[in-house]
Amino acid sequence: MAPDERSDVELLAAHVAGDAEAFGVLFRRHRDRLWAVALRTMGNPEDAADGLQDGMIAAYRRADSFRGDAAVTTWLHRVVVNACLDRLRAAKVRRADSLPDDLEEYGQRAVRSEIGPAPVADPAEEAVAHDRRAAVIDALARLVPDQRAAIVLVDLEGYSVAEAAEILGCAAGTVKSRCSRGRTRLAELLAHLLGDPADETPLTAGNPTAGRTVPPRSGPRAPPI
């Protein structure tokens, strides 16, 4: 079957007009990126699938509310992130205490270095890298939901602060503040991995991505909904 060449806006408009296939085409087009955001926001596949499904149901039902003031992809991400945050808030995730600002760079270094594939030389190093990634994912799950969403979008998915602000429906300064607080909290939770802040070896040795902005990448493919 030939790919549908209609634009995102055209597909959404067709869905509103009654095209039974248009929304499915739109979802499949952006599924991987939406799934990656849901997975990293929720922390596990089961909750991520629920959050993504909630978001897509909301988008399906509220498609006529789209006014074109943002890209369709931005709108879809906003709906999915909000659905995930609603689930996290319903689970009564507790607010984490903020820490001194001088820990921020180490929290940022940790989350960028440890999540996502990194080159390893042998099975022993691979096991250590796996344990570190698991520790970071667990720490990320302990953040305040709004901070977690900001870090997922900016540090893990590679969105700019302005793009993340548009998705989250808040000011760019708010996104920066949430990222800063989230990174400092991560620095505390991951202190056992960071070691001496003056020594970057524990997290950055052999990892060419450490300290750099992570480019956008697709996550695992989403389950059907």
Side-chain angles (χ1 to χ4, degrees), residues 130-153:
H130 178 273
D131 289 344
R132 286 178 171 174
R133 285 195 295 274
V136 174
I137 290 171
D138 178 67
L140 194 62
R142 296 171 66 182
L143 295 182
V144 175
D146 288 344
Q147 293 172 7
R148 186 193 309 187
I151 285 180
V152 165
L153 291 172

Side-chain angles (χ1 to χ4, degrees), residues 193-213:
L193 293 180
L194 292 166
D196 184 353
D199 179 7
E200 296 190 355
T201 301
L203 289 179
T204 60
N207 185 354
T209 65
R212 296 209 306 265
T213 300

Side-chain angles (χ1 to χ4, degrees), residues 20-68:
E21 305 295 329
F23 192 84
V25 173
L26 183 65
F27 170 67
R28 287 190 295 272
R29 182 177 292 175
H30 301 292
R31 173 177 54 191
D32 288 353
R33 194 77 184 274
L34 294 170
W35 171 247
V37 169
L39 181 61
R40 285 167 167 162
T41 301
M42 299 303 295
N44 64 79
E46 293 78 14
D47 289 341
D50 289 339
L52 180 59
Q53 180 167 289
D54 288 351
M56 289 298 95
I57 290 173
Y60 184 94
R61 293 174 175 172
R62 303 203 314 255
D64 59 353
S65 70
F66 178 74
R67 294 291 178 262

Side-chain angles (χ1 to χ4, degrees), residues 30 32-37 40 73 77 112 115-117 151-161 163-164 167 209 212-220:
H30 301 292
D32 288 353
R33 194 77 184 274
L34 294 170
W35 171 247
V37 169
R40 285 167 167 162
T73 52
H77 276 76
R112 288 180 174 175
I115 291 185
I151 285 180
V152 165
L153 291 172
V154 175
D155 287 343
L156 302 183
E157 288 302 308
Y159 285 102
S160 69
V161 169
E163 289 170 331
I167 291 171
T209 65
R212 296 209 306 265
T213 300
V214 178
R217 59 177 181 266
S218 295

Side-chain angles (χ1 to χ4, degrees), residues 173-185:
T174 301
V175 173
K176 290 180 181 179
S177 176
R178 290 174 182 174
C179 285
S180 176
R181 289 176 179 271
R183 290 165 188 157
T184 56
R185 177 60 174 160

Side-chain angles (χ1 to χ4, degrees), residues 34 37 55 62 66 69-85 153 163-170:
L34 294 170
V37 169
R62 303 203 314 255
F66 178 74
D69 55 345
V72 172
T73 52
T74 299
W75 179 74
L76 288 173
H77 276 76
R78 182 185 303 160
V79 174
V80 169
V81 169
N82 284 339
C84 290
L85 292 179
L153 291 172
E163 289 170 331
E166 193 170 14
I167 291 171
L168 296 173
C170 63

